[in-house]
Amino acid sequence: MPFAPCLSVKDTAAAIGFYKKLGFDVDSSTARPGDDIHMLLYGGEFCAMLYSNADLKRWLPVLADTPIGFAGMFYLGVDGFDVVHDRMIQHAELVKDTVTDHNGQRMFYVRDLDGYVLGINDNAAFKDSELGGKYA
């Protein structure tokens, strides 16, 4: 499994609805009765988890005093970049519109309901770049 975040959220039902609007799928089948934890998938691949903040504090008490959110961002590589862009900006706060960096990577950034920032990267641009030749 790749490095995957587990996002602490205030309201998992709201977070699930939000992420579904962005094109994610949600699988809650691994949760035991009473667990409020859900797997996020994009393009059929696991990429993160959503966890009720209250449940997370019980599971890992060391996080009990940690506020929701953090300073950073999560990146997601997508196919059909322009279509994904148009869909996501209808449902999420656009915090930085499409830019192309010095490596030829195209990306934009949106914020979710709990303040997490998602950087959306163009898989095609990555594969065509020098970095893609090295890491794809």
Side-chain angles (χ1 to χ4, degrees):
M1 172 190 313
F3 187 76
C6 182
L7 306 177
S8 172
V9 299
K10 290 178 264 194
D11 180 340
T12 52
I16 287 169
F18 174 82
Y19 278 97
K20 283 183 174 182
K21 287 179 185 175
L22 298 186
F24 288 81
D25 291 314
V26 178
D27 181 348
S28 304
S29 66
T30 61
R32 295 180 306 230
D35 283 347
D36 197 1
I37 189 166
H38 312 271
M39 294 188 303
L40 274 181
L41 302 107
Y42 196 87
E45 293 186 32
F46 170 77
C47 61
M49 299 185 81
L50 299 173
Y51 206 170
S52 158
N53 184 257
D55 284 0
L56 177 62
K57 289 177 178 185
R58 284 190 292 278
W59 178 253
L60 288 176
V62 69
L63 298 175
D65 295 325
T66 304
I68 292 174
F70 77 118
M73 77 264 324
F74 297 107
Y75 282 100
L76 176 70
V78 300
D79 296 320
F81 181 84
D82 294 318
V83 171
V84 171
H85 172 275
D86 293 347
R87 178 181 185 163
M88 287 192 177
I89 65 169
Q90 290 179 26
H91 304 288
E93 175 192 357
L94 180 65
V95 295
K96 186 170 188 168
D97 209 348
T98 304
V99 295
T100 302
D101 73 9
H102 64 284
N103 292 307
Q105 303 303 296
R106 289 193 325 148
M107 64 202 79
F108 67 94
Y109 297 85
V110 295
R111 188 183 340 246
D112 83 353
L113 299 176
D114 291 283
Y116 295 107
V117 174
L118 310 175
I120 310 302
N121 288 58
D122 183 354
N123 276 341
F126 176 70
K127 289 174 185 172
D128 290 341
S129 72
E130 285 185 41
L131 285 176
K134 187 174 181 180
Y135 295 113

